[in-house]
Amino acid sequence: MTAVVRRSLLDDLAASMLGLIADRKLAVGDQFESVRSLAERFKVAVPTVREALRRLEAIGALELRHGSGVYVGPNVGRLVLANPLALKPTADRLVELLQARALIEPPVAALAAKARSEDALAQMEADLVQAAELIAAGDHDRLAEINMDFHRALAQASGNATLAEVVESVTVVNVREQLEILHIHGDRETDLAEHHAILAAVRAGDDVLAEQLTRAHLDGVLAVINDRVNP
Amino acid sequence: MTAVVRRSLLDDLAASMLGLIADRKLAVGDQFESVRSLAERFKVAVPTVREALRRLEAIGALELRHGSGVYVGPNVGRLVLANPLALKPTADRLVELLQARALIEPPVAALAAKARSEDALAQMEADLVQAAELIAAGDHDRLAEINMDFHRALAQASGNATLAEVVESVTVVNVREQLEILHIHGDRETDLAEHHAILAAVRAGDDVLAEQLTRAHLDGVLAVINDRVNP
DNA sequence: ATGACCAAGTGATCAGATCAATTTCATGTC
DNA sequence: GACATGAAATTGATCTGATCACTTGGTCAT
């Protein structure tokens, strides 16, 4: 019954490359080896190497830059990731996505209030400063992105990398569409104020409040959207 | 500042292929086109097509079966997925993963108690029946997998596909290692009883109880593991 | 110093061929 | 007629080798 594990040449190649990266302790952004060099190293043809590279590239473990080289991507060693080829979602699917965020992020905020990773707190602070500037400048597109960043930084503050990955995934997929919704949702000053309140609660280590504020924040967005979809 | 969107040939190819699948309304498992046929259709060389296919294959949108053909994979249209090339996690990372599950799954159980998707309830029931059989048969490996299935079915019952994907992702990555932990954790009859209690709470529509039971269930596992890692 | 320019390195794509696994179907035996 | 056998067609896997296109670093003239 247990299917024979037929490791294709490609599986081996991909695994070996990840092994190489790990062995050399390469960090995100570091240059890897050239395609030709890899082909020679593993005694396989160039197209085969490239197929393996494409596989790794698809999940963000590597990056191929034309004319430059192969580099270590941001998703090396990640467990959960967003589908980089996600199609345009239906309205229902988008509501589900927001609902998922409203369910996951509040308890993460509570955890963040207990862990309070320094770097992440600084990042959240920086995001809020930048958000205020963007509101003043009227650049609503970048503002929406920075606001997403705030949510990601909040998850980072939890100190749990897996949770951060989950939150990152649900805030990255269908960004375009999520941003549209946030534009509809609208009140930018209120959003900023709520974010400030969340950060303050996290800083104070008040996990209950942080959770409550985050829930109220996301439920607010959700309520607006639900009205639009189910009038 | 706004990076020029340089769509490589590959990006276009991959997108076009997804478009083809969508247009033809192909379902998971359906056969797609042959590599040669795709090469001719898009007027590109075979290796190029294959690179695009590999990219789609990496995220589970397609499947290439030697000698048979190209088929639609299970992850088409998914938003969140588990890194199929995740490396072996450190002990700390594994604890984090469990912690993430303990934080996410209980509220999902609560939602499931409110939604109660029929199919998922039947699946949970089936999982428990099978689990009982496997306990009797002493097949602990398959038992552990079925128990994971139960958690996935529970998430399905929430009726929220995105949440189901998130839970599926965290229960699929590093399965091997998670299963080992569950083996350590041990008491199989207790696990089964707890699963039964959760299902009953969901059936009864008691969201508070379902959440509480699920939390207790996962925290129990987590406590055991934490003792092992930090003695 | 500054800028234009050239050359080496590297990824991107192509073309065609061969090997290997699966599926299909004609064949033949019982 | 049912079923096992095996050859042929289909299809993915890999190779070889070449050419095009992009990036980068250094050279050289100003």
Short mmCIF file of all heavy atoms in Angstrom, two decimals, chain C residues 10-27:
data_model
loop_
_atom_site.label_atom_id
_atom_site.label_comp_id
_atom_site.label_asym_id
_atom_site.label_seq_id
_atom_site.Cartn_x
_atom_site.Cartn_y
_atom_site.Cartn_z
P DT C 10 29.66 33.37 -13.77
OP1 DT C 10 29.69 33.34 -12.30
OP2 DT C 10 30.20 32.26 -14.60
"O5'" DT C 10 28.15 33.61 -14.23
"C5'" DT C 10 27.44 34.73 -13.73
"C4'" DT C 10 26.05 34.76 -14.31
"O4'" DT C 10 26.14 35.27 -15.67
"C3'" DT C 10 25.39 33.37 -14.41
"O3'" DT C 10 24.17 33.36 -13.74
"C2'" DT C 10 25.19 33.16 -15.90
"C1'" DT C 10 25.20 34.57 -16.44
N1 DT C 10 25.63 34.63 -17.86
C2 DT C 10 24.88 35.39 -18.72
O2 DT C 10 23.92 36.02 -18.36
N3 DT C 10 25.31 35.38 -20.02
C4 DT C 10 26.39 34.70 -20.54
O4 DT C 10 26.67 34.77 -21.73
C5 DT C 10 27.14 33.92 -19.58
C7 DT C 10 28.33 33.13 -20.05
C6 DT C 10 26.73 33.92 -18.31
P DG C 11 23.38 31.97 -13.68
OP1 DG C 11 23.16 31.71 -12.25
OP2 DG C 11 24.03 30.95 -14.52
"O5'" DG C 11 22.01 32.38 -14.35
"C5'" DG C 11 21.27 33.48 -13.81
"C4'" DG C 11 20.31 34.02 -14.84
"O4'" DG C 11 21.01 34.30 -16.08
"C3'" DG C 11 19.17 33.08 -15.22
"O3'" DG C 11 18.00 33.87 -15.44
"C2'" DG C 11 19.67 32.45 -16.50
"C1'" DG C 11 20.37 33.64 -17.14
N9 DG C 11 21.39 33.26 -18.10
C8 DG C 11 22.53 32.55 -17.88
N7 DG C 11 23.26 32.37 -18.95
C5 DG C 11 22.54 33.01 -19.95
C6 DG C 11 22.82 33.14 -21.34
O6 DG C 11 23.79 32.73 -21.97
N1 DG C 11 21.82 33.86 -22.00
C2 DG C 11 20.69 34.36 -21.40
N2 DG C 11 19.83 35.00 -22.19
N3 DG C 11 20.43 34.24 -20.11
C4 DG C 11 21.39 33.56 -19.45
P DA C 12 16.66 33.17 -15.97
OP1 DA C 12 15.51 33.97 -15.53
OP2 DA C 12 16.77 31.75 -15.61
"O5'" DA C 12 16.78 33.32 -17.55
"C5'" DA C 12 16.53 34.59 -18.13
"C4'" DA C 12 15.99 34.43 -19.54
"O4'" DA C 12 17.07 34.02 -20.43
"C3'" DA C 12 14.89 33.38 -19.72
"O3'" DA C 12 13.92 33.90 -20.63
"C2'" DA C 12 15.62 32.16 -20.27
"C1'" DA C 12 16.74 32.80 -21.08
N9 DA C 12 17.97 32.02 -21.13
C8 DA C 12 18.59 31.37 -20.09
N7 DA C 12 19.71 30.77 -20.43
C5 DA C 12 19.85 31.04 -21.79
C6 DA C 12 20.82 30.69 -22.73
N6 DA C 12 21.91 29.94 -22.45
N1 DA C 12 20.65 31.13 -24.00
C2 DA C 12 19.56 31.87 -24.28
N3 DA C 12 18.58 32.26 -23.47
C4 DA C 12 18.78 31.81 -22.23
P DT C 13 12.62 33.03 -20.95
OP1 DT C 13 11.55 34.00 -21.30
OP2 DT C 13 12.41 32.01 -19.91
"O5'" DT C 13 13.05 32.30 -22.28
"C5'" DT C 13 13.38 33.08 -23.42
"C4'" DT C 13 13.90 32.19 -24.52
"O4'" DT C 13 15.17 31.65 -24.15
"C3'" DT C 13 13.02 30.98 -24.83
"O3'" DT C 13 12.32 31.23 -26.04
"C2'" DT C 13 14.00 29.80 -24.96
"C1'" DT C 13 15.36 30.48 -24.91
N1 DT C 13 16.44 29.68 -24.28
C2 DT C 13 17.51 29.31 -25.04
O2 DT C 13 17.63 29.60 -26.21
N3 DT C 13 18.46 28.56 -24.38
C4 DT C 13 18.42 28.17 -23.04
O4 DT C 13 19.33 27.51 -22.57
C5 DT C 13 17.26 28.60 -22.31
C7 DT C 13 17.11 28.23 -20.87
C6 DT C 13 16.33 29.32 -22.96
P DC C 14 11.39 30.07 -26.70
OP1 DC C 14 10.37 30.78 -27.49
OP2 DC C 14 11.00 29.09 -25.69
"O5'" DC C 14 12.41 29.38 -27.71
"C5'" DC C 14 13.25 30.19 -28.52
"C4'" DC C 14 14.25 29.33 -29.26
"O4'" DC C 14 15.26 28.88 -28.34
"C3'" DC C 14 13.65 28.08 -29.89
"O3'" DC C 14 13.65 28.18 -31.30
"C2'" DC C 14 14.54 26.92 -29.40
"C1'" DC C 14 15.71 27.61 -28.76
N1 DC C 14 16.21 26.90 -27.55
C2 DC C 14 17.44 26.22 -27.61
O2 DC C 14 18.07 26.21 -28.66
N3 DC C 14 17.89 25.58 -26.50
C4 DC C 14 17.17 25.60 -25.38
N4 DC C 14 17.64 24.96 -24.32
C5 DC C 14 15.91 26.29 -25.30
C6 DC C 14 15.48 26.92 -26.41
P DA C 15 12.68 27.26 -32.18
OP1 DA C 15 12.42 28.02 -33.42
OP2 DA C 15 11.55 26.79 -31.33
"O5'" DA C 15 13.56 25.99 -32.55
"C5'" DA C 15 14.81 26.17 -33.22
"C4'" DA C 15 15.57 24.86 -33.21
"O4'" DA C 15 16.13 24.66 -31.90
"C3'" DA C 15 14.69 23.63 -33.48
"O3'" DA C 15 14.96 23.15 -34.80
"C2'" DA C 15 15.07 22.62 -32.39
"C1'" DA C 15 16.25 23.26 -31.69
N9 DA C 15 16.23 23.05 -30.23
C8 DA C 15 15.26 23.44 -29.35
N7 DA C 15 15.52 23.11 -28.11
C5 DA C 15 16.73 22.43 -28.18
C6 DA C 15 17.54 21.82 -27.21
N6 DA C 15 17.22 21.78 -25.92
N1 DA C 15 18.70 21.24 -27.62
C2 DA C 15 19.01 21.28 -28.92
N3 DA C 15 18.33 21.83 -29.94
C4 DA C 15 17.19 22.39 -29.49
P DG C 16 14.09 22.01 -35.43
OP1 DG C 16 14.23 22.14 -36.90
OP2 DG C 16 12.75 22.03 -34.81
"O5'" DG C 16 14.82 20.68 -34.97
"C5'" DG C 16 16.23 20.60 -35.03
"C4'" DG C 16 16.73 19.42 -34.24
"O4'" DG C 16 16.67 19.70 -32.81
"C3'" DG C 16 15.91 18.13 -34.44
"O3'" DG C 16 16.80 17.08 -34.78
"C2'" DG C 16 15.24 17.91 -33.08
"C1'" DG C 16 16.28 18.52 -32.15
N9 DG C 16 15.78 18.84 -30.81
C8 DG C 16 14.62 19.50 -30.49
N7 DG C 16 14.45 19.63 -29.19
C5 DG C 16 15.57 19.02 -28.64
C6 DG C 16 15.94 18.84 -27.28
O6 DG C 16 15.34 19.19 -26.28
N1 DG C 16 17.16 18.16 -27.17
C2 DG C 16 17.91 17.72 -28.22
N2 DG C 16 19.04 17.09 -27.93
N3 DG C 16 17.57 17.88 -29.50
C4 DG C 16 16.39 18.53 -29.63
P DA C 17 16.26 15.65 -35.39
OP1 DA C 17 16.94 15.39 -36.66
OP2 DA C 17 14.78 15.62 -35.31
"O5'" DA C 17 16.84 14.64 -34.29
"C5'" DA C 17 18.17 14.84 -33.82
"C4'" DA C 17 18.34 14.15 -32.48
"O4'" DA C 17 17.70 14.92 -31.44
"C3'" DA C 17 17.72 12.74 -32.41
"O3'" DA C 17 18.76 11.77 -32.28
"C2'" DA C 17 16.81 12.78 -31.18
"C1'" DA C 17 17.27 14.03 -30.44
N9 DA C 17 16.19 14.68 -29.68
C8 DA C 17 15.08 15.31 -30.18
N7 DA C 17 14.29 15.79 -29.25
C5 DA C 17 14.91 15.46 -28.07
C6 DA C 17 14.58 15.69 -26.72
N6 DA C 17 13.48 16.33 -26.35
N1 DA C 17 15.43 15.22 -25.78
C2 DA C 17 16.54 14.57 -26.17
N3 DA C 17 16.96 14.30 -27.41
C4 DA C 17 16.09 14.77 -28.30
P DT C 18 18.41 10.20 -32.42
OP1 DT C 18 19.56 9.55 -33.06
OP2 DT C 18 17.05 10.06 -32.99
"O5'" DT C 18 18.35 9.74 -30.88
"C5'" DT C 18 19.42 10.10 -30.01
"C4'" DT C 18 19.05 9.75 -28.58
"O4'" DT C 18 18.07 10.69 -28.07
"C3'" DT C 18 18.44 8.36 -28.38
"O3'" DT C 18 19.13 7.70 -27.32
"C2'" DT C 18 16.99 8.64 -28.04
"C1'" DT C 18 17.11 9.98 -27.32
N1 DT C 18 15.86 10.78 -27.31
C2 DT C 18 15.38 11.22 -26.10
O2 DT C 18 15.93 10.99 -25.03
N3 DT C 18 14.22 11.96 -26.18
C4 DT C 18 13.52 12.28 -27.32
O4 DT C 18 12.49 12.94 -27.26
C5 DT C 18 14.07 11.78 -28.55
C7 DT C 18 13.37 12.06 -29.85
C6 DT C 18 15.20 11.06 -28.48
P DC C 19 18.83 6.16 -26.99
OP1 DC C 19 20.12 5.48 -26.82
OP2 DC C 19 17.83 5.65 -27.95
"O5'" DC C 19 18.13 6.25 -25.55
"C5'" DC C 19 18.84 6.89 -24.49
"C4'" DC C 19 17.92 7.08 -23.28
"O4'" DC C 19 16.87 7.99 -23.63
"C3'" DC C 19 17.24 5.79 -22.80
"O3'" DC C 19 17.33 5.74 -21.38
"C2'" DC C 19 15.79 5.96 -23.28
"C1'" DC C 19 15.62 7.46 -23.20
N1 DC C 19 14.57 8.00 -24.09
C2 DC C 19 13.52 8.75 -23.54
O2 DC C 19 13.49 8.93 -22.32
N3 DC C 19 12.57 9.25 -24.36
C4 DC C 19 12.64 9.03 -25.67
N4 DC C 19 11.67 9.55 -26.44
C5 DC C 19 13.69 8.27 -26.25
C6 DC C 19 14.63 7.78 -25.43
P DA C 20 16.86 4.40 -20.62
OP1 DA C 20 17.73 4.24 -19.43
OP2 DA C 20 16.70 3.29 -21.60
"O5'" DA C 20 15.41 4.81 -20.11
"C5'" DA C 20 15.28 5.89 -19.19
"C4'" DA C 20 13.82 6.03 -18.76
"O4'" DA C 20 13.04 6.59 -19.86
"C3'" DA C 20 13.13 4.72 -18.40
"O3'" DA C 20 12.25 4.97 -17.32
"C2'" DA C 20 12.35 4.37 -19.65
"C1'" DA C 20 11.92 5.75 -20.11
N9 DA C 20 11.61 5.86 -21.53
C8 DA C 20 12.30 5.32 -22.59
N7 DA C 20 11.78 5.61 -23.76
C5 DA C 20 10.68 6.41 -23.45
C6 DA C 20 9.71 7.04 -24.25
N6 DA C 20 9.70 6.96 -25.57
N1 DA C 20 8.76 7.75 -23.62
C2 DA C 20 8.79 7.83 -22.28
N3 DA C 20 9.64 7.27 -21.42
C4 DA C 20 10.58 6.58 -22.08
P DA C 21 11.85 3.74 -16.36
OP1 DA C 21 12.48 3.98 -15.05
OP2 DA C 21 12.03 2.46 -17.09
"O5'" DA C 21 10.27 3.97 -16.19
"C5'" DA C 21 9.82 5.25 -15.77
"C4'" DA C 21 8.42 5.47 -16.31
"O4'" DA C 21 8.48 5.59 -17.74
"C3'" DA C 21 7.44 4.33 -16.02
"O3'" DA C 21 6.40 4.85 -15.19
"C2'" DA C 21 6.91 3.89 -17.38
"C1'" DA C 21 7.31 5.05 -18.30
N9 DA C 21 7.65 4.65 -19.68
C8 DA C 21 8.69 3.85 -20.07
N7 DA C 21 8.76 3.69 -21.38
C5 DA C 21 7.71 4.44 -21.87
C6 DA C 21 7.25 4.69 -23.18
N6 DA C 21 7.82 4.16 -24.27
N1 DA C 21 6.16 5.48 -23.32
C2 DA C 21 5.60 5.99 -22.22
N3 DA C 21 5.93 5.84 -20.94
C4 DA C 21 7.01 5.04 -20.84
P DT C 22 5.22 3.89 -14.69
OP1 DT C 22 4.81 4.43 -13.38
OP2 DT C 22 5.62 2.49 -14.84
"O5'" DT C 22 4.04 4.18 -15.72
"C5'" DT C 22 3.73 5.53 -16.04
"C4'" DT C 22 2.75 5.57 -17.18
"O4'" DT C 22 3.40 5.17 -18.40
"C3'" DT C 22 1.54 4.64 -17.03
"O3'" DT C 22 0.40 5.48 -17.02
"C2'" DT C 22 1.60 3.71 -18.24
"C1'" DT C 22 2.48 4.49 -19.22
N1 DT C 22 3.29 3.70 -20.18
C2 DT C 22 3.09 3.87 -21.53
O2 DT C 22 2.26 4.62 -21.99
N3 DT C 22 3.92 3.11 -22.34
C4 DT C 22 4.90 2.22 -21.92
O4 DT C 22 5.57 1.61 -22.74
C5 DT C 22 5.05 2.10 -20.51
C7 DT C 22 6.09 1.17 -19.96
C6 DT C 22 4.26 2.83 -19.71
P DT C 23 -1.06 4.85 -16.73
OP1 DT C 23 -1.87 5.89 -16.05
OP2 DT C 23 -0.90 3.52 -16.13
"O5'" DT C 23 -1.63 4.68 -18.20
"C5'" DT C 23 -1.57 5.79 -19.08
"C4'" DT C 23 -1.93 5.35 -20.49
"O4'" DT C 23 -0.87 4.57 -21.06
"C3'" DT C 23 -3.20 4.49 -20.59
"O3'" DT C 23 -4.09 5.13 -21.49
"C2'" DT C 23 -2.69 3.14 -21.09
"C1'" DT C 23 -1.42 3.53 -21.83
N1 DT C 23 -0.37 2.47 -21.93
C2 DT C 23 0.16 2.16 -23.15
O2 DT C 23 -0.19 2.69 -24.18
N3 DT C 23 1.15 1.20 -23.14
C4 DT C 23 1.63 0.54 -22.03
O4 DT C 23 2.51 -0.31 -22.13
C5 DT C 23 1.03 0.90 -20.77
C7 DT C 23 1.49 0.24 -19.52
C6 DT C 23 0.07 1.85 -20.79
P DT C 24 -5.56 4.54 -21.70
OP1 DT C 24 -6.45 5.72 -21.78
OP2 DT C 24 -5.85 3.47 -20.72
"O5'" DT C 24 -5.44 3.90 -23.14
"C5'" DT C 24 -4.62 4.56 -24.11
"C4'" DT C 24 -4.53 3.69 -25.36
"O4'" DT C 24 -3.41 2.79 -25.26
"C3'" DT C 24 -5.75 2.81 -25.62
"O3'" DT C 24 -6.11 2.90 -26.99
"C2'" DT C 24 -5.29 1.41 -25.23
"C1'" DT C 24 -3.81 1.48 -25.57
N1 DT C 24 -2.94 0.55 -24.79
C2 DT C 24 -1.92 -0.11 -25.44
O2 DT C 24 -1.68 0.03 -26.62
N3 DT C 24 -1.17 -0.93 -24.63
C4 DT C 24 -1.36 -1.16 -23.27
O4 DT C 24 -0.62 -1.93 -22.65
C5 DT C 24 -2.44 -0.45 -22.67
C7 DT C 24 -2.72 -0.62 -21.21
C6 DT C 24 -3.19 0.38 -23.45
P DC C 25 -7.54 2.43 -27.47
OP1 DC C 25 -8.13 3.54 -28.25
OP2 DC C 25 -8.28 1.84 -26.34
"O5'" DC C 25 -7.15 1.25 -28.47
"C5'" DC C 25 -5.97 1.37 -29.26
"C4'" DC C 25 -5.48 0.00 -29.65
"O4'" DC C 25 -4.70 -0.58 -28.58
"C3'" DC C 25 -6.61 -1.01 -29.95
"O3'" DC C 25 -6.30 -1.72 -31.13
"C2'" DC C 25 -6.60 -1.92 -28.72
"C1'" DC C 25 -5.10 -1.92 -28.40
N1 DC C 25 -4.78 -2.34 -27.02
C2 DC C 25 -3.61 -3.07 -26.79
O2 DC C 25 -2.87 -3.35 -27.74
N3 DC C 25 -3.31 -3.46 -25.52
C4 DC C 25 -4.13 -3.15 -24.52
N4 DC C 25 -3.79 -3.55 -23.27
C5 DC C 25 -5.33 -2.39 -24.73
C6 DC C 25 -5.61 -2.01 -25.99
P DA C 26 -7.50 -2.25 -32.08
OP1 DA C 26 -7.89 -1.11 -32.94
OP2 DA C 26 -8.52 -2.92 -31.26
"O5'" DA C 26 -6.76 -3.34 -32.97
"C5'" DA C 26 -5.45 -3.08 -33.44
"C4'" DA C 26 -4.56 -4.29 -33.20
"O4'" DA C 26 -4.35 -4.42 -31.76
"C3'" DA C 26 -5.15 -5.62 -33.67
"O3'" DA C 26 -4.17 -6.33 -34.42
"C2'" DA C 26 -5.54 -6.34 -32.39
"C1'" DA C 26 -4.53 -5.79 -31.40
N9 DA C 26 -4.98 -5.82 -30.00
C8 DA C 26 -6.12 -5.25 -29.49
N7 DA C 26 -6.25 -5.43 -28.20
C5 DA C 26 -5.14 -6.16 -27.83
C6 DA C 26 -4.70 -6.67 -26.59
N6 DA C 26 -5.37 -6.51 -25.45
N1 DA C 26 -3.53 -7.36 -26.58
C2 DA C 26 -2.87 -7.52 -27.73
N3 DA C 26 -3.17 -7.09 -28.95
C4 DA C 26 -4.34 -6.40 -28.94
P DT C 27 -4.57 -7.63 -35.24
OP1 DT C 27 -3.78 -7.60 -36.50
OP2 DT C 27 -6.04 -7.72 -35.27
"O5'" DT C 27 -4.01 -8.81 -34.34
"C5'" DT C 27 -2.68 -8.73 -33.80
"C4'" DT C 27 -2.51 -9.80 -32.76
"O4'" DT C 27 -3.13 -9.40 -31.52
"C3'" DT C 27 -3.14 -11.16 -33.11
"O3'" DT C 27 -2.10 -12.11 -33.35
"C2'" DT C 27 -4.00 -11.51 -31.90
"C1'" DT C 27 -3.51 -10.57 -30.82
N1 DT C 27 -4.51 -10.17 -29.80
C2 DT C 27 -4.30 -10.51 -28.49
O2 DT C 27 -3.32 -11.11 -28.11
N3 DT C 27 -5.30 -10.11 -27.63
C4 DT C 27 -6.46 -9.43 -27.95
O4 DT C 27 -7.27 -9.11 -27.10
C5 DT C 27 -6.62 -9.12 -29.35
C7 DT C 27 -7.84 -8.38 -29.82
C6 DT C 27 -5.66 -9.50 -30.20
#
